[in-house]
Amino acid sequence: MALCTRMCLWSVVSLLAVAQVGCCCGARRNQYLTQAQLRNQQLWAQNRALSMQRDGFGGNVGQLQQENAALKQNLDLANQRLNNLASSNNQLEQRVQDMLVSANRGNNPLSDDMTRKLEELRQKYPEFEFDPRTGVSKFHTDLLFELGSDQVRPDAMRVLQEFAQIMNHADASHLNVLVVGHTDDKPISKSTTRARHPTNWHLSTDRADSVVLALKKSGIDEKRMGAAGYGMFQPVAPNTNDANRQKNRRVEIFVLAPDAVVAGWDPAAHSTR
């Protein structure tokens, strides 16, 4: 009887122990499930937020692309307008140039084409001047000569050759050329220079002669040319500073019509030689 009683008690204790273990495992499982559900909810919320951000960025990118396309179109239109304005400007400048030439046809014996060519030469060489109203060309002597010299600089021969090519063109081959030299007011100081050019008169005429000979070498018939010198007595600016003196040191080339008589120029003498 005691044995039976002890066995019954052992069975009850065992059942109670199993029940306790089962309850403990179930509680832990429920806890894990709850944590997993919370984690899933957090991940879902994060994923949703990222999706919304991605959609927002996509919309911004599309808007920026549209704005860039509009800006590019506006820039293209602005560039086209600038090109049109530049073209209109060039046309207006050419018209003004043509009007000047036409209005002064009595003073400028050059044709429109020759005037344009000399204007292009002026733009190419800053030290070369050309007046489209009169057809007078000017070379600053600093371009043509060393200080106190009448020897044409080798690098200056290029502009004289191009000038000669223009003057030998069919439209200008009948015109005459008068080369005139000018100096500033400073007397010849170096003894070596005075040995060749005692005065500014000598220097101005010697330089005019050198340009004539250079033009002859470049192909202009010497019968079409003449040379003169004015020394320091025909300044274009007061001889008060170095900049003005540089302007006064110049060689001018006058293009003359076939019937022009200047300083004793007699066109008829060409045919008698």
Side-chain angles (χ1 to χ4, degrees), residues 150 183 188 193-194 196-209 229 231:
D150 66 337
T183 69
I188 306 297
T193 304
R194 282 202 309 272
R196 290 180 55 85
H197 320 290
T199 67
N200 281 324
W201 282 110
H202 294 80
L203 182 59
S204 66
T205 55
D206 290 343
R207 283 178 167 175
D209 290 341

Side-chain angles (χ1 to χ4, degrees), residues 145-158:
F145 307 101
E146 299 293 347
L147 188 63
S149 172
D150 66 337
Q151 300 299 311
V152 177
R153 293 168 47 171
D155 57 339
M157 285 299 298
R158 178 72 177 177

Side-chain angles (χ1 to χ4, degrees), residues 196-267:
R196 290 180 55 85
H197 320 290
T199 67
N200 281 324
W201 282 110
H202 294 80
L203 182 59
S204 66
T205 55
D206 290 343
R207 283 178 167 175
D209 290 341
S210 293
V211 171
V212 166
L213 293 176
L215 293 175
K216 175 188 174 183
K217 186 176 180 180
S218 298
I220 298 182
D221 189 341
E222 58 185 342
K223 293 179 181 179
R224 298 172 57 195
M225 295 188 290
Y230 284 95
M232 63 182 181
F233 299 105
Q234 296 291 327
V236 293
N239 284 293
T240 54
N241 54 57
D242 290 339
N244 284 353
R245 288 189 176 93
Q246 184 181 24
K247 294 178 182 178
N248 292 330
R249 297 192 300 268
R250 67 196 189 279
V251 173
E252 295 176 335
I253 297 180
F254 296 86
V255 179
L256 306 175
D259 58 349
V261 178
V262 178
W265 185 288
D266 184 3

Side-chain angles (χ1 to χ4, degrees), residues 170-206:
D171 289 349
S173 60
H174 64 291
L175 301 175
N176 298 318
V177 175
L178 177 62
V179 181
V180 180
H182 300 268
T183 69
D184 58 26
D185 64 336
K186 286 189 173 182
I188 306 297
S189 58
K190 289 186 178 180
S191 58
T192 53
T193 304
R194 282 202 309 272
R196 290 180 55 85
H197 320 290
T199 67
N200 281 324
W201 282 110
H202 294 80
L203 182 59
S204 66
T205 55
D206 290 343

Side-chain angles (χ1 to χ4, degrees), residues 10-208:
W10 175 254
S11 298
V12 171
V13 170
S14 298
L15 288 172
L16 289 173
V18 171
Q20 288 177 352
V21 171
C23 290
C24 181
C25 291
R28 287 182 181 176
R29 184 173 64 251
N30 291 336
Q31 183 181 2
Y32 290 152
L33 288 173
T34 301
Q35 290 177 352
Q37 290 175 349
L38 288 174
R39 182 58 180 164
N40 285 336
Q41 290 176 355
Q42 291 174 352
L43 292 173
W44 179 85
Q46 291 176 1
N47 193 25
R48 179 178 173 80
L50 290 172
S51 297
M52 293 177 65
Q53 288 181 0
R54 182 195 60 195
D55 294 340
F57 286 144
N60 290 337
V61 169
Q63 183 179 359
L64 288 173
Q65 288 176 342
Q66 292 178 356
E67 291 176 355
N68 282 339
L71 287 173
K72 184 179 183 304
Q73 185 177 8
N74 290 337
L75 181 61
D76 291 341
L77 288 173
N79 286 332
Q80 184 61 44
R81 289 174 182 172
L82 285 175
N83 290 336
N84 291 339
L85 285 173
S87 178
S88 298
N89 252 355
N90 292 336
Q91 292 176 5
L92 286 173
E93 288 179 2
Q94 188 59 59
R95 289 179 184 176
V96 171
Q97 183 73 25
D98 292 342
M99 289 173 64
L100 283 173
V101 171
S102 299
N104 296 278
R105 178 55 62 195
N107 297 326
N108 182 359
L110 294 169
S111 67
D112 292 353
D113 187 45
M114 294 299 98
T115 298
R116 281 200 222 29
K117 290 182 183 298
L118 287 171
E119 180 65 23
E120 291 172 0
L121 192 65
R122 181 191 67 80
Q123 294 175 3
K124 186 175 180 180
Y125 297 97
E127 296 301 317
F128 171 74
E129 296 182 15
F130 173 68
D131 187 349
R133 296 169 300 176
T134 61
V136 176
S137 301
K138 295 180 182 179
F139 297 85
H140 293 287
T141 54
D142 291 349
L143 167 69
L144 299 176
F145 307 101
E146 299 293 347
L147 188 63
S149 172
D150 66 337
Q151 300 299 311
V152 177
R153 293 168 47 171
D155 57 339
M157 285 299 298
R158 178 72 177 177
V159 63
L160 291 176
Q161 289 169 354
E162 293 187 35
F163 178 84
Q165 288 175 1
I166 295 173
M167 294 308 302
N168 279 332
H169 193 273
D171 289 349
S173 60
H174 64 291
L175 301 175
N176 298 318
V177 175
L178 177 62
V179 181
V180 180
H182 300 268
T183 69
D184 58 26
D185 64 336
K186 286 189 173 182
I188 306 297
S189 58
K190 289 186 178 180
S191 58
T192 53
T193 304
R194 282 202 309 272
R196 290 180 55 85
H197 320 290
T199 67
N200 281 324
W201 282 110
H202 294 80
L203 182 59
S204 66
T205 55
D206 290 343
R207 283 178 167 175

